[in-house]
Amino acid sequence: MTAESAALPVGATAQQVATHDAELDQLFGVDSPLGNAVGGFRPRKSQTEMAKAIANAIVNQNTLIAEAGTGTGKTFAYLVPSLLWGGKVIISTGTKNLQDQLFLRDIPTVRKALGAPVSVALLKGRANYVCHFHLERTLQNGRLTSRDDVGYLREISRFMKTTGSGDKAELSKVPETALVWNLVTSTRDTCMGAECQYYQDCFVMKARKEAQQADVVVVNHHLFFADVALKDTGVAELLPSANTIIFDEAHQLPETATLFFGDTISTSNVLELCRDVLAEGLSHARDGADWASVVSKVERAARDLRLTFPQDIVRLAVNQIAPSSPFFPALETLKDEMDGMIAVLQKQAERAETIEQCRVRGIEIATRLEAWNKPKGDVIIGQESVLWVEAFSSSLQLHQTPLSIAPIFNKQREGVPRTWIFTSATLAVKNDFNHYTAQMGLWDEAAQSWPSPFDYDSQGLLYVPTGLPQPNSLDYTDAVIDAALPVIEAAGGGAFLLCTTIRAVNRSAERLREEFERRKLPFPLMVQGEAGRTELLDRFRAAGNAVLIGSQSFWEGVDVRGDALSLVIIDKLPFSPPDDPVLAARIEALERKGMNGFMHHQLPAAIINLKQGAGRLIRDETDRGVLMICDPRLIAKPYGKRIWQSLPPFKRTRELDAVRTFFASTVDAVGDAE
């Protein structure tokens, strides 16, 4: 890194831009420091061009929307210029796994290759760090419900004696989904803050302090937007000093931001508070109230509210709930009982800090429940937000969701000039970024696309089978399996079956188990839900000829290279369910403006999602495979052409024999290579 390049001013001159362009040419070229540091590195024109565009945005403090086809190497394309010229950089990724990959592997590699003297910190949400106070309290009161939890707690206690970060990702012996984590981590509501006796040793505070002092901070989208909404993750303290903000997997932002700019309150929140009120009341003010009676009234009201919807799964906008529904009086009862519990906590709050904390949490829950204090049966769908309920088997969630995050997100971007980079493999529909820019409020910002370096024409085949029924047919999933079986056999396994619903996952698994057994096919079957995602993928890679069935979580962020994956089957075009209350409200709002809800929202969203699923197939220059899309609408509907033209430019066929020939030629090519 040259002294001149490290200090490029905002609004760089043409000569300075030419200087850093030349430096990037050198860094991404043959026999470059980067090439020597990265095994299998190949110079790629699209990667270098993307790095130059990002460098230009950085030195001019501009916004850039950057779509980079699979294999472009977008991670290095944004890391190199941001480590050289980005100043204080915040990089936000789609998941905690990607965060760890950037922090542990990608950034150290680039930093070492560049000799860049930058410090790097990893910042996660507080639920990822063990809390000294809550661990001690759990060890003391022993409210554990299973033998596993007792063993896990012992492991966590040992871990605390040796860890420097307190990050639960470092403790592989305790599953990330273990319920005991809820008892040994803090939430915004249960953190004692500066009052805590362990404040000086707190891992959350330590992580935030390191992030304050670092040149590069790696966060994830959930953390970033939780902070913007709640000011609770440490990002708010970082933002004022940040020169460059990079969102990787930026296609996920509209959904993530919607989640956090809205509000959700659930009966589970109420029951958790009741659990803590009972424990703290009995510990510190046993004589102050009949705590069991106080708490049981609220618990009963919360459970009664859930029972106003007898079905297991319900999603309804509030105006779809009948005015005569017991939901409305049950909600009022819950508010009244909450008020009664808060009044008791008020009288006892001075007896213990933890009781005062329960009182504050109670007031916050009651305040959020008041958002639902509307005249019965009113239509509460405005331009701004939609109120809706979602029932699960044991809880009910009350949501308030904004119809557009654009105005809220734009407000966050106002103020101090800085660089904003939004990058992903899937942001555009046939090189048209309008859907994404409208969602994010980035209307007048620069957008560029760099194609994948892969030779899709020779590496892949798009197969749409003939004779399938309409996707809403009762026997549709069975028809998909019937069409897929000969293709799975021709491929020799090594297949993903990506479904749009959990029901389809379960039915497909049932059918394939029967068929593999009946036909004596030697393909291991792996099904989402039977193990964690990481474990399933490890087993899939190791098997080499497995078939994995998954829904949304396997459509993106999954990288399987080589022969282990040579067939991706997609059961249906991934349109959002039509009964989604938020989608219905958004379409209504678009149509009030004279736009077409399907063409302007549902179709582009489905195409971007489909591009993610299709992107699982070809991950390397040597990969070959078939993308099988079973949905007949791809051919029969006028919009089908727009969809397949947005996919990688595979050769296309509707003939099963062409698929068999493709796989046979793949086997021949491998044999020749050997």
Side-chain angles (χ1 to χ4, degrees), residues 24 32 224 434 444 486 666:
L24 290 169
S32 64
F224 188 94
N434 283 336
D444 300 319
T666 300

Side-chain angles (χ1 to χ4, degrees), residues 625-638:
V626 170
L627 172 64
M628 176 178 177
I629 301 179
C630 299
D631 197 321
R633 290 174 294 184
L634 192 63
I635 305 298
K637 296 291 185 184

Side-chain angles (χ1 to χ4, degrees), residues 180-397:
V180 73
W181 285 122
N182 296 332
L183 299 174
V184 298
T185 54
S186 71
T187 65
R188 187 169 62 112
D189 295 328
T190 63
C191 174
M192 306 286 285
E195 304 293 316
C196 180
Q197 68 204 75
Y198 298 107
Y199 187 72
Q200 296 303 319
D201 302 314
C202 175
F203 291 122
V204 173
M205 292 302 127
K206 186 179 169 190
R208 291 182 183 180
K209 190 174 179 185
E210 285 175 6
Q212 285 289 328
Q213 294 165 353
D215 300 309
V216 178
V217 185
V218 184
V219 300
N220 63 60
H221 302 337
H222 277 77
L223 185 70
F224 188 94
F225 286 107
D227 191 276
V228 168
L230 305 172
K231 302 288 182 283
D232 178 50
T233 68
V235 176
E237 298 146 27
L238 297 173
L239 273 175
S241 60
N243 307 99
T244 303
I245 296 171
I246 298 170
F247 292 106
D248 198 348
E249 302 296 334
H251 65 279
Q252 297 177 1
L253 294 182
E255 193 173 325
T256 308
T258 297
L259 185 70
F260 286 104
F261 290 154
D263 183 57
T264 297
I265 183 78
S266 85
T267 54
S268 297
N269 300 139
V270 176
L271 295 173
E272 282 164 18
L273 173 64
C274 289
R275 180 195 71 194
D276 292 344
V277 167
L278 182 62
E280 300 309 328
L282 292 175
S283 294
H284 302 290
R286 185 175 284 271
D287 58 342
D290 181 349
W291 292 103
S293 172
V294 169
V295 162
S296 67
K297 289 176 186 171
V298 181
E299 287 177 331
R300 190 181 310 117
R303 292 196 173 103
D304 286 348
L305 182 66
R306 166 61 194 92
L307 293 173
T308 59
F309 298 100
Q311 310 95 311
D312 259 9
I313 306 288
V314 177
R315 289 160 69 90
L316 291 172
V318 74
N319 64 305
Q320 294 176 303
I321 303 172
S324 58
S325 166
F327 166 77
F328 295 104
L331 182 59
E332 293 306 315
T333 301
L334 176 58
K335 290 176 187 173
D336 292 343
E337 298 297 356
M338 281 289 298
D339 289 344
M341 184 167 77
I342 291 165
V344 173
L345 289 167
Q346 174 86 40
K347 288 177 185 166
Q348 306 299 324
E350 62 190 24
R351 296 180 68 172
E353 179 61 34
T354 49
I355 295 179
E356 164 62 11
Q357 197 178 56
C358 287
R359 183 189 74 85
V360 171
R361 283 168 64 193
I363 289 171
E364 183 173 334
I365 289 173
T367 304
R368 290 160 75 191
L369 286 171
E370 278 304 312
W372 283 80
N373 192 16
K374 306 285 182 184
K376 292 175 191 173
D378 258 17
V379 177
I380 315 173
I381 299 181
Q383 283 289 98
E384 304 306 320
S385 64
V386 54
L387 290 177
W388 57 289
V389 301
E390 189 169 23
F392 300 95
S393 54
S394 59
S395 69
L396 185 75
Q397 295 186 344

Side-chain angles (χ1 to χ4, degrees), residues 59-77:
V59 297
N60 288 295
Q61 294 193 327
N62 290 336
T63 294
L64 176 65
I65 303 160
E67 183 182 67
T70 308
T72 305
K74 66 180 165 65
T75 306
F76 285 3

Side-chain angles (χ1 to χ4, degrees), residues 561-583:
R561 298 175 188 220
D563 296 338
L565 179 62
S566 59
L567 171 63
V568 171
I569 305 164
I570 291 175
D571 72 336
K572 286 183 191 178
L573 298 176
F575 289 110
S576 297
D579 61 347
D580 183 317
V582 179
L583 175 66

Side-chain angles (χ1 to χ4, degrees), residues 350-498:
E350 62 190 24
R351 296 180 68 172
E353 179 61 34
T354 49
I355 295 179
E356 164 62 11
Q357 197 178 56
C358 287
R359 183 189 74 85
V360 171
R361 283 168 64 193
I363 289 171
E364 183 173 334
I365 289 173
T367 304
R368 290 160 75 191
L369 286 171
E370 278 304 312
W372 283 80
N373 192 16
K374 306 285 182 184
K376 292 175 191 173
D378 258 17
V379 177
I380 315 173
I381 299 181
Q383 283 289 98
E384 304 306 320
S385 64
V386 54
L387 290 177
W388 57 289
V389 301
E390 189 169 23
F392 300 95
S393 54
S394 59
S395 69
L396 185 75
Q397 295 186 344
L398 309 178
H399 302 278
Q400 183 167 2
T401 303
L403 295 189
S404 170
I405 62 159
I408 316 170
F409 186 57
N410 265 336
K411 193 173 279 186
Q412 303 304 322
R413 293 178 62 237
E414 287 170 359
V416 183
R418 57 172 64 96
T419 304
W420 297 80
I421 306 291
F422 300 83
T423 185
S424 165
T426 55
L427 295 173
V429 175
K430 242 185 98 183
N431 292 323
D432 179 348
F433 289 84
N434 283 336
H435 176 66
Y436 187 75
T437 56
Q439 284 183 299
M440 296 299 295
L442 302 170
W443 294 283
D444 300 319
E445 304 296 0
Q448 275 182 269
S449 189
W450 290 271
S452 167
F454 300 152
D455 181 6
Y456 286 114
D457 189 53
S458 66
Q459 287 182 255
L461 187 67
L462 170 60
Y463 170 51
V464 182
T466 55
L468 263 77
Q470 288 304 305
N472 57 1
S473 306
L474 287 174
D475 59 348
Y476 183 75
T477 300
D478 287 295
V480 166
I481 297 302
D482 291 340
L485 272 162
V487 184
I488 293 170
E489 284 194 70
F496 274 5
L497 170 54
L498 301 178

